[in-house]
Amino acid sequence: MTPAWAQRQEALLSDCIVSPDVFKHMVDRLGDFVVPYQHALETEAGQRNVHLYLQGLLSHLPRKNAEEIATLVDVERLVMQEFIGTAPWDHRPLVHVLVGQVVDRLGEPDGIIAFDPSSFPKRGTHSVGVKRQWCGHRGKVDNCQVGVYIGYVSRDDHALLDFRLSLPQDWVRDKQRRQECHVPEEVEYQTRPDQCLEMLDQWSEQVPHGWVTGDDELGRHTQFRHDLRERGERYVLGVPCNTTIRDLEAPLPEYQGRGRRPKAPWQSVTEWRKSLHPHAWRRLTVRDGEKGPVEIAMVKRRVQTRLERKRTGPEEWLVVTRCPLSDDRPLEPQTSSDATDQDARCRYCYYLSPTGSSEAKLGASSLAELARVIKAGTGIEASFKRGKGEAGMDEYQVRTWEGWHHHMALSLISVWFLIGETHRGQQRTPALTLPQGRYGLSLLLLEVFYTPGVDSICRQVQRQLLRNELVRFYHHRTRKCMPPRKLRREIQ
């Protein structure tokens, strides 16, 4: 090993030395962090339980649902389940506090607003919004709930800001299921692009940004792209591999001297990509991966797309990315079966971005800038990975409208606390990652709540016994037979 490599290895290892200051007083900082969110709630019980629930989401628990959290923080199970599942507190004031904090720390003029749906597989049919639909988590049509999320990606980090539950049409029309799951009367059916526009209209002025991005589920809707242009937004939206386009930079067919002058033919983006000259691709480095720099090849071309009923759409930039299959490691499965295509060696993704406009804001963009925006799509997927892996975002056991929104809001807040602690810890330990910060905090919380002794053991065993006996009583009652009491054993 040469001296230069040896020095770099020594420097990297020194970045891993963990200072006690990284974790010292972390639990106290969590108490200070939660104060603005407590003030956003009106009831004293809500203010107390929101702190306890956040501690449970950040703990070591393998299943971070209301029952497990109640056992950890030593409160009655029904109290925590009611707080999350049915208590009539509004989650939106908490989201307002969260957005303000994210903007203060991560906001930058050319930040990126990213939209993405996320699915939550479910076995039953009684949870709010559950239906057989495309489940990105499993990469197929399955029984699941789907939430639509808005995230923010800057050069420093990324975080989820707000969310909407995608309520299918058959749920909206089913009064009985709406009533059982406490769906508010004012809630009507909205498409996912409409939900994205609603969140954009709510937060666009408060959240500084230069771009809007999303996957092919949004980009395939020509009306959604039109609405973004009407709002003066620059966007980079994924489109499916069967999108029909006309290349406006291709040589025109030879004119035969009669009739209208011919135009470039309509073709799918996949067919157009296959006809590209090998030298048309330009290689760019988009990020530094764990195994080295991650490079992609890109090409940009001015095209026209088709609208509904085969009407000709406006001019847009078509951006195609190419990366080797060995380097393509998506954090979440693709949102639809036609989102990308591939050959024997590479995977190809397709995006549309606006060209010139009366708005000066919608000017031409370089490939490097477009690559930065495309990379933001992986940022919001990484935010889902953080939420589901570190804060129990997908481990809820609630069926109601309020329960889903309560749990989601508190999960996003938990991840935001971890982001802040990770940034703080990296000042002393540059190699610190968010999962390792959460691991250290979980051990500290274990010391706070775990009080060894006979009294603690008795309380935990009593909770389990009460649950078992209530279940036994319920089953006997449904069969209209009185459950016998358990016999007391005599000491031999």
Side-chain angles (χ1 to χ4, degrees):
M1 186 183 296
T2 63
W5 281 97
Q7 291 177 3
R8 178 52 57 89
Q9 183 185 50
E10 183 180 356
L12 292 176
L13 295 179
S14 67
D15 289 343
C16 298
I17 298 175
V18 180
S19 169
D21 293 334
V22 173
F23 298 104
K24 191 178 294 183
H25 307 303
M26 185 180 282
V27 176
D28 296 333
R29 290 195 295 274
L30 176 59
D32 297 334
F33 168 83
V34 79
V35 169
Y37 298 96
Q38 290 176 320
H39 290 166
L41 297 179
E42 297 179 354
T43 64
E44 182 179 349
Q47 295 173 358
R48 178 178 63 256
N49 290 329
V50 70
H51 189 193
L52 295 175
Y53 200 80
L54 288 178
Q55 289 174 314
L57 291 176
L58 296 170
S59 69
H60 69 289
L61 293 174
R63 297 290 296 174
K64 297 175 181 178
N65 52 57
E67 181 177 351
E68 297 291 336
I69 292 174
T71 301
L72 173 70
V73 301
D74 197 17
V75 300
E76 290 295 330
R77 171 176 58 90
L78 295 178
V79 172
M80 192 60 69
Q81 288 180 333
E82 181 184 5
F83 167 71
I84 287 297
T86 58
W89 56 273
D90 191 356
H91 72 281
R92 287 171 292 186
L94 302 183
V95 173
H96 277 273
V97 176
L98 172 65
V99 172
Q101 292 180 347
V102 173
V103 169
D104 289 341
R105 178 170 294 180
L106 302 182
E108 57 186 22
D110 59 347
I112 302 165
I113 287 179
F115 294 105
D116 203 12
S118 185
S119 56
F120 304 90
K122 290 292 177 182
R123 292 184 179 179
T125 59
H126 300 289
S127 297
V128 61
V130 83
K131 179 187 177 182
R132 284 192 61 81
Q133 53 193 324
W134 178 264
C135 180
H137 183 81
R138 293 178 173 168
K140 63 179 182 178
V141 175
D142 206 347
N143 215 47
C144 64
Q145 294 169 302
V146 177
V148 181
Y149 295 81
I150 177 174
Y152 188 70
V153 183
S154 72
R155 290 175 175 83
D156 291 333
D157 216 317
H158 48 83
L160 296 174
L161 301 179
D162 200 359
F163 50 90
R164 298 288 187 273
L165 177 63
S166 179
L167 199 64
Q169 278 186 302
D170 52 351
W171 265 87
V172 174
R173 294 191 295 262
D174 194 329
K175 294 183 179 180
Q176 181 178 353
R177 287 204 292 181
R178 286 178 65 113
Q179 185 176 4
E180 291 174 351
C181 292
H182 305 173
V183 178
E185 294 183 359
E186 64 272 14
V187 174
E188 299 178 352
Y189 173 72
Q190 282 184 302
T191 64
R192 294 173 192 173
D194 288 340
Q195 291 178 317
C196 292
L197 291 172
E198 181 182 280
M199 290 188 284
L200 181 64
D201 292 339
Q202 181 178 359
W203 300 116
S204 60
E205 293 186 2
Q206 183 176 346
V207 179
H209 65 282
W211 291 90
V212 173
T213 188
D215 59 24
D216 69 289
E217 184 174 349
L218 300 174
R220 69 178 66 218
H221 294 280
T222 58
Q223 184 61 42
F224 182 70
R225 304 202 305 268
H226 171 76
D227 292 336
L228 290 179
R229 289 192 298 270
E230 288 291 311
R231 288 165 169 80
E233 298 284 356
R234 289 189 298 177
Y235 59 81
V236 177
L237 296 174
V239 292
C241 59
N242 55 9
T243 302
T244 302
I245 57 102
R246 171 191 286 162
D247 187 350
L248 298 180
E249 299 180 16
L252 297 179
E254 184 178 353
Y255 181 51
Q256 301 296 327
R258 293 182 300 174
R260 295 182 179 179
R261 292 188 175 275
K263 296 183 178 180
W266 293 100
Q267 56 187 329
S268 70
V269 290
T270 300
E271 294 175 353
W272 177 85
R273 185 262 304 167
K274 291 178 180 179
S275 66
L276 284 175
H277 192 277
H279 296 300
W281 297 91
R282 179 182 170 189
R283 299 191 64 83
L284 294 95
T285 301
V286 294
R287 61 186 173 90
D288 186 27
E290 294 297 322
K291 298 182 180 180
V294 177
E295 295 184 343
I296 61 173
M298 298 179 64
V299 63
K300 181 177 75 168
R301 194 65 58 88
R302 191 165 53 90
V303 301
Q304 272 185 318
T305 58
R306 273 183 169 169
L307 305 180
E308 293 78 4
R309 300 178 182 177
K310 296 185 178 182
R311 292 180 295 126
T312 303
E315 295 183 7
E316 294 177 279
W317 290 113
L318 171 66
V319 183
V320 186
T321 63
R322 180 185 69 188
C323 59
L325 292 176
S326 59
D327 292 342
D328 188 30
R329 299 182 294 272
L331 296 174
E332 279 206 351
Q334 59 193 33
T335 57
S336 61
S337 57
D338 58 357
T340 63
D341 68 348
Q342 64 186 55
D343 54 24
R345 295 183 300 172
C346 298
R347 182 183 298 275
Y348 301 90
C349 299
Y350 306 92
Y351 305 88
L352 288 175
S353 183
T355 59
S357 172
S358 58
E359 297 280 347
K361 186 178 180 180
L362 302 183
S365 304
S366 66
L367 276 180
E369 179 71 359
L370 292 171
R372 182 179 75 90
V373 181
I374 291 172
K375 178 194 167 198
T378 64
I380 191 170
E381 290 170 356
S383 294
F384 290 140
K385 185 178 180 180
R386 285 175 173 178
K388 295 178 180 181
E390 307 300 333
M393 183 177 173
D394 59 342
E395 296 174 0
Y396 56 90
Q397 291 182 353
V398 292
R399 292 182 174 180
T400 63
W401 175 272
E402 302 100 326
W404 190 89
H405 288 80
H406 292 167
H407 180 85
M408 284 299 147
L410 295 175
S411 297
L412 268 56
I413 293 169
S414 300
V415 175
W416 176 238
F417 173 76
L418 292 176
I419 292 173
E421 286 299 306
T422 304
H423 289 182
R424 180 185 177 279
Q426 287 172 345
Q427 296 175 2
R428 297 181 178 273
T429 306
L432 184 71
T433 62
L434 186 142
Q436 297 307 316
R438 205 278 307 169
Y439 172 75
L441 176 59
S442 68
L443 295 181
L444 294 173
L445 290 172
L446 187 61
E447 293 182 1
V448 171
F449 291 111
Y450 181 64
T451 54
V454 175
D455 292 340
S456 176
I457 296 173
C458 290
R459 285 196 301 269
Q460 295 191 36
V461 172
Q462 180 176 313
R463 286 197 191 93
Q464 298 171 9
L465 294 177
L466 287 172
R467 177 179 176 83
N468 294 343
E469 288 303 299
L470 287 173
V471 171
R472 189 167 72 98
F473 178 82
Y474 172 78
H475 287 302
H476 279 76
R477 185 180 178 184
T478 55
R479 291 166 175 78
K480 297 182 179 179
C481 55
M482 188 67 67
R485 293 187 62 181
K486 298 293 182 67
L487 296 176
R488 294 182 183 268
R489 300 290 183 181
E490 298 294 338
I491 299 178
Q492 299 295 328

